[in-house]
Amino acid sequence: MPRGRSGPDARCPSLPPMRVRFAPSPTGLLHVGGARAALYNWLLARGSGGEFLLRIEDTDRERSTPENIEQILDALRWLGLDWDGEPILQTTHEERHRAVVQQLLAEDRAYRSTATADDVRAYKAEHGADKGFRGGDHPTRSHDPEVGAVRLRVPEGQTVVRDLIRGDTTFQNVHQDDPVVARADGSPLYNLAVAIDDLDAGITHVIRGEDHLSNTPKQLLVLQAMGAESPVYAHLPLLHGPDGKKLSKRHGAASVQELRDAGYLPDAVVNYLALLGWGDADDETVISREELVRRFDIARVSKNPARFDEQKLKWLNGKYLRGQGVDGLTATIRGHLDATGHGEAIAGRDELLRTAVEISQEKISTVDDFWALAGFLFTGPVDDEKARAKWLDEGHREHLAAVRGTLAGLDPFTTESVDAALRALVGERGVKAKDVFQPLRVALAGTAVSPGVFESAAALGRDETLARVDAALAA
RNA sequence: GCCCCCAUGGUGUAGCGGUUAGCACGCCAGCCUUUCACGCUGGUAGCGAGGGUUCGAUUCCCUCUGGGGGUACCA
């Protein structure tokens, strides 16, 4: 069956079902690069009516704690990337891996060797730096079945990685060392385990980060030694930080968990990640999950590494925030406030919260922005020295006193009525609008940046508004 | 050192031999306006360099330069 780079119309009208997998090693946080790999796999599975499997590469027992595994699952759930079946733990396949090692040994496709890193270096010093280590008839070759690591015999020739994103990459086998596929104690190593697991799971497409590109020929060699078919590959370019260096914690949010805590919405993160390294002829930027599933094409993924730049994600997040509608956004924000220790401040104030969200939504781009902007409605004015100095000086206090007089007898006390009354006051006094509005804003919020003043006053109600004005006047 | 990948504005991308090089974020300006935003309008800015191939290269080939990945009895 011919495969390889799919042509421009290869995915029309519909793809054959793809069975794909995401195989993270459970280090705790789900790195955004990993999240993107998971997303692309998920999009392909859902778009082709196939399956998305989750396999935990837990052979490193140190890091593979139940807590770490749970964290990864949690992050995937939050993103809405549901997997098919139960998560598979790689360690549960160890028996099969060992059996394959024994078979390779029995067929002389692998051998035992006690060669150390120094032995390999010495070999290269003698044969050339670009010559892979061959231990088959090297002094370190071990004939005792209990002694030495297991190395795979790399045959002559070349190994071609067929990649949906970058076409064929040819690796000359001479450059490859005979890879160690199992430790001296017989325990399987990564490249062996992965190849076997993907084979056994019937994975049709392996989509993973480019950091695995040079592992792929080794895995292909294992499959070849087993006489098995190989899957199709796609290696995604890596994600870099704004400075072009590998993305890490010091660049700010580098994991899904951090993005969640920073107040981003899963849909926005998914949309952003999908567009980071992929784009099609359509110029749309805000693309729904369903649309993404329909349109995503692995062959159109970019070959160059992309920088993770939070600015666009912020913008996109604002779009999704406002797209939720006031009730949806209120629920989202309530959840975030509960999780960040502000649950008490909003308890029992549902009406005010909804109003606060309504008048704040166009001014925030993350869920986390809400409290900084509108928290004053619940907890009283914040303390911004500069704002007070500028807007509550002698001259402005006089205007504020007039404002108090106007608002004191206002009924009803609504955004509209406050608006009309204050504008009338501005007209009477013959001053600039902001000289009247800003002092009130600072009296209510304690700072010069807030939702609209009329809206804020109405949200607080007349009594609270007057109390805050009095406090400002008295200070 | 050795093996491998990549290269369109500051960022993410469209382009698949002939385009005024398109879109989005950012940035700047204007409008709106009670601050900040949202929204709208306009603007700034790009094919890494050098060789080829071709009537014609951002597009194809080579070299260089610059990024990146790998190089474990880790995953």
Side-chain angles (χ1 to χ4, degrees), chain A residues 312-324:
Chain A
K312 193 163 187 173
L313 172 57
K314 255 198 156 81
W315 170 82
L316 208 43
N317 203 61
K319 289 274 187 194
Y320 277 89
L321 226 45
R322 275 163 237 122
Q324 282 199 328

Side-chain angles (χ1 to χ4, degrees), chain A residues 79-330:
Chain A
L79 285 171
L81 306 183
D82 57 319
W83 56 90
D84 297 302
E86 290 300 308
I88 304 148
L89 299 183
Q90 185 160 61
T91 45
T92 59
H93 300 160
E94 187 170 341
E95 221 173 287
R96 150 113 253 237
H97 300 154
R98 284 178 181 264
V100 170
V101 169
Q102 287 313 314
Q103 191 186 340
L104 292 176
L105 244 16
E107 293 171 353
D108 198 35
R109 294 183 184 278
Y111 58 90
R112 293 229 174 223
S113 164
T114 61
T116 61
D118 281 339
D119 293 326
V120 173
R121 262 192 292 277
Y123 181 94
K124 292 188 188 212
E126 186 185 339
H127 299 263
D130 62 340
K131 297 292 184 294
F133 176 72
R134 295 284 173 273
D137 39 36
H138 188 265
T140 54
R141 166 71 200 268
S142 163
H143 289 280
D144 182 335
E146 303 291 310
V147 176
V150 179
R151 283 184 185 269
L152 185 73
R153 276 188 203 284
V154 173
E156 309 227 315
Q158 49 187 210
T159 302
V160 179
V161 176
R162 295 200 185 285
D163 188 301
L164 256 20
I165 295 172
R166 52 197 82 225
D168 291 355
T169 300
T170 302
F171 292 84
Q172 297 302 326
N173 289 357
V174 264
H175 295 148
Q176 210 84 236
D177 290 333
D178 281 353
V180 176
V181 292
R183 298 185 182 86
D185 65 5
S187 61
L189 250 24
Y190 178 73
N191 285 125
L192 176 100
V194 168
I196 295 173
D197 287 354
D198 286 337
L199 174 68
D200 290 353
I203 299 300
T204 59
H205 302 257
V206 172
I207 292 136
R208 68 215 321 188
E210 196 196 323
D211 49 340
H212 285 288
L213 182 55
S214 45
N215 280 330
T216 303
K218 297 188 178 87
Q219 293 168 25
L220 249 16
L221 254 11
V222 169
L223 257 12
Q224 190 183 318
M226 292 171 70
E229 281 284 308
S230 53
V232 178
Y233 293 88
H235 292 92
L236 309 174
L238 265 18
L239 252 31
H240 292 172
D243 57 358
K245 300 294 181 194
K246 197 173 172 154
L247 187 63
S248 67
K249 311 95 235 152
R250 71 190 171 77
H251 290 116
S255 69
V256 171
Q257 287 89 338
E258 288 168 307
L259 291 177
R260 184 221 286 146
D261 293 346
Y264 291 104
L265 265 20
D267 282 345
V269 173
V270 162
N271 191 156
Y272 176 70
L273 251 25
L275 252 24
L276 195 57
W278 169 79
D280 65 11
D282 195 314
D283 282 331
E284 293 301 315
T285 302
V286 182
I287 311 172
S288 73
R289 205 176 278 255
E290 296 68 39
E291 188 73 354
L292 244 21
V293 166
R294 223 169 48 68
R295 295 227 306 254
F296 185 74
D297 179 0
I298 189 70
R300 288 189 61 100
V301 170
S302 161
K303 289 195 272 279
N304 34 337
R307 297 184 190 213
F308 182 80
D309 183 0
E310 238 177 291
Q311 282 181 137
K312 193 163 187 173
L313 172 57
K314 255 198 156 81
W315 170 82
L316 208 43
N317 203 61
K319 289 274 187 194
Y320 277 89
L321 226 45
R322 275 163 237 122
Q324 282 199 328
V326 178
D327 291 321
L329 186 53
T330 300

Side-chain angles (χ1 to χ4, degrees), chain A residues 6-54:
Chain A
S6 55
D9 53 0
R11 69 203 186 98
C12 299
S14 69
L15 294 159
M18 296 167 73
R19 184 190 283 249
V20 297
R21 87 312 195 267
F22 175 53
S25 52
T27 51
L29 299 180
L30 177 58
H31 191 270
V32 293
R36 189 179 60 151
L39 171 63
Y40 286 11
N41 274 289
W42 182 84
L43 288 172
L44 256 14
R46 297 296 171 254
S48 70
E51 281 181 282
F52 175 57
L53 272 34
L54 184 59

